[in-house]
Amino acid sequence: MTWHILGAGSLGSLWATRLARAGLPVRLILRNPQRLEAYRRAGGLTLVEANQPQQYAIPAELPQADTPIQRLLLACKAYDAQRAVASVAQRLTPGAELLLLQNGLGSQDEVAQHLPKQRCLFVSSTEGAFRPADFQVIFAGNGHNWLGDPSDPRPPAWLDELQRAGIAHQWSPDILARLWRKLALNCAINPLTVLHDCRNGDLAEHPAEIATLCAELGELLQRCGQPTAAENLHEDVQRVILATAANYSSMHQDVAQGRRTEVTYLLGYACAAAQRHQLHLPHLQHLQQRLLRHLEERGLALN
Ligand code: NAD
Ligand code: KPL
């Protein structure tokens, strides 16, 4: 069965090239005729792994092509997810499977609620990739992908295709716990790196601020029915700060490069959940206010 890939950015290209390299059928869906023409001129997608570039001439098409889609990897930013899926919605067969590869929470439900006849799998990824140029991707860091379906714990039959493609993965019967945990880590680390304009490791100089945020995030996870995601959160945040000390967080990179952030699906989602549960989390809410002011001052539009 063909892997359709919508969102030929960093992660979409990383998946597309590895699947194609394994001999699996892949088709890219590009946004408009200009992108399609630029892709044809480039001659394919280039994956750079261990400094070795390799180009793959993966076929590409427009969203309005008329072939049906049975399997779709959606690999765009959370704020683009719903609009991107809408552009191919009429091509999705009943029972089609979508892999939603977005950071944070909220966008997956926005997509899934419009697709009652399809199966939406949620993916949480710790792989690292970036684009030095259009249609080129550098595999920056080995990581892992967890896949799961909050409404059906049975794994799909095609996971072995990921194995064949060398895409490190695991089926997760509790994918929401994983996404919540990653969201909590991102909420404790990313906004502070933006506000202090620092690398992850420099947050070790703000232990009290981190501890308070972790305590509030733990309370939120408990209240949202995610006790597993709350376990040892503070220790894990400290571990990630040390393990990624030299890195700039993804949100810091977005802000530094003047790109829109996924804040609505990270800290925004956490604060909205707290409000829904009438949970008063003053430090988290104050963090959100400071971050939103900071983004506004830099003209980085909110969603
Ligand atoms: P990206 O910006 O590199 O790629 C997204 C692509 O989607 C872009 O090429 C964009 O043009 C395309 N797109 C958006 N709307 C579209 C539409 N309507 N039609 C067609 N194409 C459309 O993003 P990314 O870095 O690959 O990130 C994808 C998700 O994965 C994000 O939620 C991100 O937080 C998460 N993530 C990324 C990494 C990483 O290392 N890059 C790691 C872990 C998680
Ligand atoms: O996922 C991250 C990010 O930068 O988005 C880490 C490294 C965990 C920091 O929150």
Side-chain angles (χ1 to χ4, degrees), residues 274-292:
Q275 204 171 16
R276 240 184 357 262
H277 288 280
Q278 298 178 327
L279 194 57
H280 183 50
L281 301 176
H283 294 88
L284 206 63
Q285 274 144 5
H286 187 226
L287 182 68
Q288 186 193 30
Q289 286 160 9
R290 286 160 64 203
L291 181 65
L292 293 184

Side-chain angles (χ1 to χ4, degrees), residues 290-302:
R290 286 160 64 203
L291 181 65
L292 293 184
R293 201 174 324 119
H294 185 95
L295 296 177
E296 219 163 68
E297 282 164 9
R298 279 149 191 82
L300 297 177
L302 300 179

Side-chain angles (χ1 to χ4, degrees), residues 24-72:
L24 294 159
V26 181
R27 290 188 78 80
L28 299 177
I29 302 176
L30 300 176
R31 197 192 287 262
N32 56 36
Q34 292 75 25
R35 290 289 293 161
L36 189 57
E37 181 48 36
Y39 176 72
R40 289 191 173 141
R41 275 199 306 273
L45 278 184
T46 299
L47 169 65
V48 184
E49 221 176 348
N51 285 325
Q52 296 296 319
Q54 179 75 49
Q55 194 178 54
Y56 300 88
I58 298 168
E61 63 192 30
L62 291 173
Q64 54 273 23
D66 52 13
T67 45
I69 297 175
Q70 290 172 288
R71 190 182 300 152
L72 180 76

Side-chain angles (χ1 to χ4, degrees), residues 77 79 250 253-261 300:
K77 292 285 168 62
Y79 48 74
S250 55
Q253 292 177 43
D254 283 342
V255 173
Q257 289 168 37
R259 289 192 304 241
R260 183 174 173 180
T261 70
L300 297 177

